[in-house]
Amino acid sequence: SSVRTEQGFMTRGVGGVWVALMAGCGRHVVAAGARGGSTAAAGGKSDAATFLKKSFHHGSDDGSPAATLLVRHPLPERGNWPFMSADFAREDEKADGEFYVSPRLVQHIDGGARAAWTQYLGETFLRQGAEASTVAVGGPSPAVSSVDILDLCSSWVSHLPLNPQVRFGRVIGQGMNPAELDANPNLTEVIVRDLNKEPNLKEIPSNSLDAVICTVSIDYLIHPQEVLAEALRVLKPGGSVHLGFSNRYFPTKVIAVWRDTTDYGRLWIAATYLQHAGFTMVEAKELPTTETDPYFVASGVKNPISHAEL
């Protein structure tokens, strides 16, 4: 089978290895859908893999909005982690540092998806900053919202809005390639770390940030629960997390459970991660885009009550 990249095609060769057929294929591929852990269901598959295969297949959600996805397919109860280790296997299990050693100063999604993500972040930060300021002063919100954020799995661009009503304080970029992070004009601080080896954000104090974003990268994490628990820790009570993704990925580095389902299945996976990391008000969204690539967001909030004294 073949899948489309932004600059060419890749095909699966002998032994399941992806082979580039045209130049410039070192970029995300378009996810084509399913190939055929926690607790294991029948056949040695995790509960999540079994549920995804049953509930999400091509055409299964045609015409149904992402906004009601979690009503149609409720998330597992917190504490019942539905994944197992096989779900996080990759075709290429070599050290991720080898794969990311060369900087990729390219865009991984099209302009329509990027614009939708930037607009979403602008609207979210404006609203969140205003709400936080209102609570802090007990009166009307100021004209300018200020937010401190973590860009998780960052690169040379953070897709932040150029909105005069949103002011960014700290913008911490965590990533794996120093050259990409150095090229990012939005970042005020940098953490170079392979989260698949060290799933922690130990440099960042607890309750210190307003938001955490992750752009087209959540599908590469093999310890998502640990990483997102760290995201929960560093957020202030009432802070939010936003996991954005499209239908493109590096096929040899994406985790198996992500590769083997549909776009809405992936949205359910990301929302499940947030639920089990301890976030509340978990939502699933598909943003309107103007070009070819779709764009999806799973978001959640750090409960301002239960975490107020952490």
Side-chain angles (χ1 to χ4, degrees), residues 17-239:
V17 176
W18 289 89
V19 181
L21 297 182
M22 294 177 63
C25 290
R27 302 171 73 176
H28 291 83
V29 303
V30 175
R35 263 195 337 178
S38 85
T39 55
K45 292 184 178 292
S46 69
D47 288 346
T50 301
F51 172 79
L52 288 163
K53 184 175 181 180
K54 177 182 178 181
S55 302
F56 298 97
H57 49 83
H58 293 295
S60 62
D61 278 296
D62 287 353
S64 301
T68 60
L69 175 71
L70 303 185
V71 175
R72 302 193 306 274
H73 305 290
L75 300 177
E77 292 184 7
R78 192 171 299 156
N80 180 26
W81 182 241
F83 303 98
M84 58 191 300
S85 58
D87 294 327
F88 301 101
R90 284 101 39 93
E91 289 186 8
D92 177 6
E93 293 287 6
K94 295 193 295 292
D96 290 332
E98 297 179 22
F99 185 82
Y100 294 105
V101 66
S102 298
R104 293 178 172 88
L105 302 181
V106 297
Q107 299 287 359
H108 297 294
I109 51 178
D110 67 27
R114 297 197 306 272
W117 181 223
T118 297
Q119 179 178 343
Y120 168 86
L121 293 177
E123 293 171 352
T124 298
F125 294 152
L126 180 62
R127 180 176 62 253
Q128 184 172 326
E131 289 172 353
S133 298
T134 300
V135 171
V137 302
S141 60
V144 178
S145 298
S146 179
V147 291
D148 297 325
I149 73 168
L150 167 65
D151 185 0
L152 200 62
C153 304
S154 186
S155 64
W156 69 285
V157 60
S158 291
H159 306 284
L160 299 182
L162 296 174
N163 185 335
Q165 291 183 294
V166 179
R167 181 177 62 244
F168 295 100
R170 300 175 70 194
V171 181
I172 306 170
Q174 174 278 320
M176 291 189 60
N177 189 284
E180 290 186 8
L181 298 174
D182 287 344
N184 189 327
N186 294 121
L187 303 183
T188 62
E189 304 168 46
V190 165
I191 300 172
V192 179
R193 174 162 302 127
D194 180 354
L195 293 176
N196 285 342
K197 281 188 174 181
E198 299 178 82
N200 68 74
L201 302 166
K202 58 187 178 183
E203 296 85 351
I204 307 177
S206 300
N207 304 309
S208 62
L209 301 178
D210 298 295
V212 174
I213 65 173
C214 183
T215 305
V216 296
S217 294
I218 192 64
D219 45 332
Y220 302 121
L221 295 181
I222 62 175
H223 305 295
Q225 193 172 22
E226 292 90 335
V227 171
L228 291 173
E230 277 287 87
L232 183 75
R233 178 186 65 79
V234 304
L235 283 170
K236 300 172 184 176

Side-chain angles (χ1 to χ4, degrees), residues 222-274:
I222 62 175
H223 305 295
Q225 193 172 22
E226 292 90 335
V227 171
L228 291 173
E230 277 287 87
L232 183 75
R233 178 186 65 79
V234 304
L235 283 170
K236 300 172 184 176
S240 60
V241 62
H242 308 271
L243 310 179
F245 61 92
S246 185
N247 60 354
R248 296 181 180 271
Y249 53 65
F250 293 116
T252 60
K253 281 298 184 181
V254 72
I255 60 170
V257 72
W258 192 277
R259 178 197 62 215
D260 292 348
T261 189
T262 65
D263 289 340
Y264 276 15
R266 296 172 187 120
L267 193 52
W268 183 90
I269 291 170
T272 298
Y273 288 171
L274 295 177

